[in-house]
Each structure stands twice: as C-alpha cells, then as structure tokens.
Amino acid sequence: MGNDPPMTDEAFRATVRGWLADNLAGEFAPLAGRGGPGHEHEFVAERMAWERRLGEGHWIGLGWPAEDGGRGLPWSQQAIFHQEYARAGGPGRIGHMSEQLLAPALLTFGTPGQKARFLPGIASGTEVWCQGYSEPDAGSDLAAVRTRAELRDGEWHLHGQKVWTSLAHIADWCFVLARTDPHAERHRGLSYLLVPMRQPGVTVRPIRQLTGTSEFNEVFFDDARTDASAIIGAPGDGWRVAMGTLGFERGVSTIGQQAGFQREFEEVLGQARRTGALADPEIAGRVTDAWIGLQVMRYTVQATLGASGSGGTASAGLPDPVAPGTEANIVKLLWSPWRQRLGELAVDVAGPDATLTGPGYELSDSQRLFLFGRAETIYGGSVEIQRNIIAERGLGLPRG
Ligand SMILES: Cc1cc2nc3c(=O)[nH]c(=O)nc-3n(C[C@H](O)[C@H](O)[C@H](O)COP(=O)(O)OP(=O)(O)OC[C@H]3O[C@@H](n4cnc5c(N)ncnc54)[C@H](O)[C@@H]3O)c2cc1C
C-alpha cells in the first residue's frame, strides 16, 4: 500500500464514514458496539473476520510509513478514523495489541527483516498478538520477571509462566519479556522475544473472571521455542523495548476510546431518563459528575496527543517512546476510576433489575460494566503505580 493521494480531512471523514456504513452491515451488522474490555467473549470468530475485512480495506496501520505497508496518514486523519469508528459502533478490536503495541515497537526498534515478516500479518488482520509481560510475582514490579530463555542451537528455549495474558487463547504470537541473563541486574538481564503460541511447549489456561467469562489466561512455557532472530533489540535490551511498547499505549486510538466512553455514558443517561431515576437528586448529581469527567478526559486527551503529536515518531502517529512524559499516566488515572464509577452508576440506575443473576442468565450491559469495572484500575498499570510515576517523574518527589 503506497501513500494515498492527499485528501482533505473532510473528504477523508466522508470516506471513512461511507466505508464503515457499507461494511459494518450484513454479516457484520450484529457486531456493532460488541467486544472490547469486559465483552471480549462476544462474537470472537466474527470479529476475527472483521479484522480481516479492516485489513482488506487498508484501515490497519494508517499512520505507518508507506514503505512498511501503512498509509502514511497524518495524525489528524488517524484521529478522524478512530472517532468515526467509535461513532459507527465499530466492534472492540481483537487486533488492538497487535496494531497499537507490537507494530509501533517493530517500527521503532525492529530490524527490516522483522518488519517485513511481522507487519503484513498485522496489517491484514490475519495474525493476532498477545502481551506476555505479567507473571504471578511480577506485575507492578515487572523487572522481577522470572520466565527464562536460553539460546541453544539457533533457537530460544523458554521456561516459565505468564498470567493475565489477554486473548492468549486466540493469539498466534506473543511478545514476551523473558530473562536471558540470570546473572545481570534485574532490568538488564531481560529480552523481548516474539514467540509463536501454537506449539507443544505453550499451554494456555483460561482464568474465569467476575463476569463469568474469560478474556485473559495463564500461559505456561515448557521448553517453548522461537527462532534466534525473533528478538526485538539486543539480548539484555528487553526492558527498554518493553517500556517503549507501553509508551505507545497513549497513541491515537485513545481518541476512539473516549468516543466509546461517550457512548456508554449516553446509554446510562438514556436508561436514567427512561426509568425516571434522574428524579433522584443523588443520581442526577452522579450523572452530572460523569459528564464533567468526560469533558475533563476529552480536553486532557486533546492536550496529551497534541503534546506527543508534534515530532519524532509522532509524525507517523507514534509518540516518542524514549522520552515519555506523564501524560499517559494522567489519562489512565482519569479514565479508569471514571469507568468504574460509571459501572456503579449504571447498576444504581437499573435498580433492582441489576441484582438479577443465575445459571444461564446473560448479564446486562450495566451489570457487565459494573463487574468488569474492578479490572479498570488494575490493567495497564494500577492507579497506585500511575500515581507513583506521576509523583516521581512528573513532580520529582522522592521514591516511596
Ligand atoms: C483485565 C486485565 C487484563 C490484563 N492483560 C494483561 C496482558 O494482556 N498482558 C500482561 O502482561 N498483563 C496483563 N494484565 C496484568 C496487569 O498488567 C497487572 O495486573 C498489573 O500490572 C498489576 O500487577 P499485579 O496484578 O501483579 O498486582 P500487584 O503488582 O501485586 O499489585 C497489587 C496491589 O499492590 C499495589 N502496589 C504494588 N506495588 C506498589 C507500589 N510500589 N506502590 C504502591 N502500590 C503498589 C498495586 O497498585 C495493587 O493495588 C491484565 C490485568 C487485567 C486486570
């Protein structure tokens, strides 16, 4: 895919809107608004097919350089795509980690051979990636990773366990943080390996969540193998690549996330109107607070992306990974408790219906939002860790 002929933002918006209207129809119509955190169990096969449809339309990798198979679109048009996608009710992206985490890592730290091997599978929506960082004793303290990898006969051999690995049960590949030098100091002995999931040395066990479904897993490596070349950066350089990867989480897709929150808010507001719950001043106050929270997030995200969208890799829609500020931490600290509170509001608005449960009972969206809300302040770095980072890096306070 070469560089598209330049289009005005208005024309581009109309193109995106038209494509989504034409394609989020027929077999894909039931996917509108489905999937995403808390709903990852929904329409999995159909959403995988949707990824491929997005790939066929060249809607994956919009900001990647044309020579790497992207469209080289400016940041403003990537933002438009995400806005329109959320507005149309585009389903939660199974390829989120592939496109938003691994692809930027490959573009920034990968070799030409790695880019040529792995970017096409991401761009076509045919290869799904998961993130293998956390372990039973290495979550917030990620440098404590114990999964080990040893280079023998042209292959890395992996032994160890990962946990909370989202979508590992459907992923083709995993980007794994592993210890390759047991003698080096904590952060120094780690490497960033690309490991195929479908092999005898990998076992995936689902973890059942409060919602009754499983979107994350335990992953066991028992002499799992990957080629010697499947390492991003040098051996021992994994910490830098892993942290760079996390830095990409504040990318332009945050715009779509915000639009999704807006839609969830409107659903809760709509239900509050229908049930008469707004007559209760306490509920009305919480609805107002939720709306204010949305505005605060919107302005913060605009300022954040503005700050990171001005140069370096950001010109390709990729924030600079080596000099991350604390903007992403602030945004996470705003949205995660906000969405948790929205879930609490949603069940209060639903009233006694929210307590319904039982065998074979399908949770309502309000119940799911409420129950999954417990995870919001944990994944992607807990709120306590976000505060620590802001305090230490942003304010220069002493380490706790
Ligand atoms: C829905 C979901 C999806 C996830 N998906 C993935 C995934 O795909 N891949 C992956 O690798 N991981 C994933 N995770 C794991 C996630 O990154 C970790 O849960 C998170 O980093 C916290 O680590 P932990 O669970 O080990 O908790 P711990 O680190 O043990 O923390 C427990 C509590 O102690 C607090 N705490 C810990 N250290 C400090 C400190 N220094 N100062 C103050 N408080 C502290 C924490 O904030 C937390 O409240 C996912 C988690 C969830 C909930």
Side-chain angles (χ1 to χ4, degrees):
M1 183 83 193
N3 264 328
D4 289 345
M7 242 190 229
T8 63
D9 285 357
E10 231 166 274
F12 181 73
R13 190 181 291 280
T15 307
V16 176
R17 216 173 257 191
W19 189 88
L20 286 168
D22 291 346
N23 286 274
L24 204 47
E27 62 183 304
F28 293 122
L31 302 192
R34 307 322 304 179
H39 297 263
E40 292 293 3
H41 62 291
E42 295 171 342
F43 296 103
V44 174
E46 293 84 350
R47 282 165 53 223
M48 304 256 282
W50 172 248
E51 289 291 324
R52 297 193 288 277
R53 176 66 66 88
L54 283 172
E56 284 156 17
H58 303 288
W59 295 110
I60 301 178
L62 297 181
W64 308 353
E67 61 269 25
D68 291 314
R71 286 198 187 191
L73 289 183
W75 177 85
S76 61
Q77 296 192 348
Q78 297 171 56
I80 288 171
F81 174 79
H82 289 288
Q83 279 164 356
E84 291 301 324
Y85 188 88
R87 197 164 290 151
R93 292 285 314 280
I94 283 182
H96 173 78
M97 280 178 286
S98 319
E99 186 187 7
Q100 304 298 336
L101 292 181
L102 184 70
L106 283 165
L107 288 166
T108 308
F109 304 105
T111 63
Q114 288 168 341
K115 289 194 241 180
R117 163 63 188 87
F118 294 115
L119 288 175
I122 298 175
S124 58
T126 51
E127 282 185 340
V128 176
W129 287 79
C130 62
Q131 178 185 25
Y133 281 16
S134 304
E135 297 185 1
D137 292 315
S140 304
D141 184 16
L142 190 57
V145 155
R146 282 196 303 191
T147 291
R148 62 182 203 282
E150 197 187 333
L151 190 57
R152 248 187 295 129
D153 305 326
E155 285 185 312
W156 292 100
H157 294 243
L158 286 89
H159 293 266
Q161 186 198 339
K162 297 291 173 181
V163 72
W164 321 127
T165 319
S166 301
L167 302 185
H169 51 296
I170 51 174
D172 304 288
W173 288 82
C174 186
F175 47 101
V176 175
L177 193 59
R179 190 160 295 286
T180 47
D181 182 350
H183 306 297
E185 212 188 310
R186 282 165 34 103
H187 303 76
R188 300 241 166 84
L190 300 170
S191 299
Y192 192 104
L193 301 175
L194 310 178
V195 180
M197 291 294 283
R198 298 174 208 282
Q199 58 166 311
V202 175
T203 306
V204 176
R205 281 201 209 136
I207 301 173
R208 192 162 178 267
Q209 294 169 230
L210 202 53
T211 49
T213 56
S214 300
E215 51 197 66
F216 54 29
N217 307 270
E218 294 178 292
V219 176
F220 298 88
F221 299 118
D222 183 13
D223 201 27
R225 317 271 178 96
T226 195
D227 192 76
S229 64
I231 176 169
I232 303 193
D237 202 19
W239 185 256
R240 189 174 68 96
V241 183
M243 291 303 107
T245 305
L246 292 183
F248 299 128
E249 271 191 314
R250 67 188 156 119
V252 71
S253 66
T254 316
I255 296 263
Q257 188 191 35
Q258 298 295 307
F261 292 162
Q262 172 81 33
R263 222 184 41 242
E264 284 176 346
F265 169 77
E266 282 164 9
E267 277 163 23
V268 174
L269 176 61
Q271 194 176 12
R273 283 208 171 103
R274 282 193 301 280
T275 59
L278 284 174
D280 177 343
E282 202 260 338
I283 296 278
R286 284 163 66 193
V287 169
T288 310
D289 283 345
W291 183 82
I292 292 169
L294 263 182
Q295 312 314 310
V296 171
M297 284 191 281
R298 174 181 303 160
Y299 294 126
T300 310
V301 164
Q302 274 168 11
T304 300
L305 291 176
S308 66
S310 55
T313 48
S315 57
L318 309 174
D320 183 352
V322 289
T326 52
E327 299 92 344
N329 310 100
I330 294 168
V331 171
K332 170 88 209 287
L333 207 44
L334 287 174
W335 73 252
S336 53
W338 180 86
R339 198 157 181 254
Q340 209 167 63
R341 284 194 301 272
L342 188 71
E344 288 158 10
L345 179 61
V347 292
D348 286 342
V349 163
D353 282 359
T355 58
L356 282 175
T357 181
Y361 173 78
E362 182 67 27
L363 293 176
S364 67
D365 283 349
S366 310
Q367 289 173 316
R368 209 168 277 287
L369 190 64
F370 171 71
L371 292 173
F372 188 79
R374 298 299 104 198
E376 308 283 5
T377 50
I378 300 171
Y379 71 85
S382 72
V383 287
E384 291 81 9
I385 295 303
Q386 306 298 333
R387 287 200 185 92
N388 282 353
I389 294 171
I390 293 167
E392 289 163 21
R393 292 194 208 146
L395 297 172
L397 301 184
R399 286 176 72 88

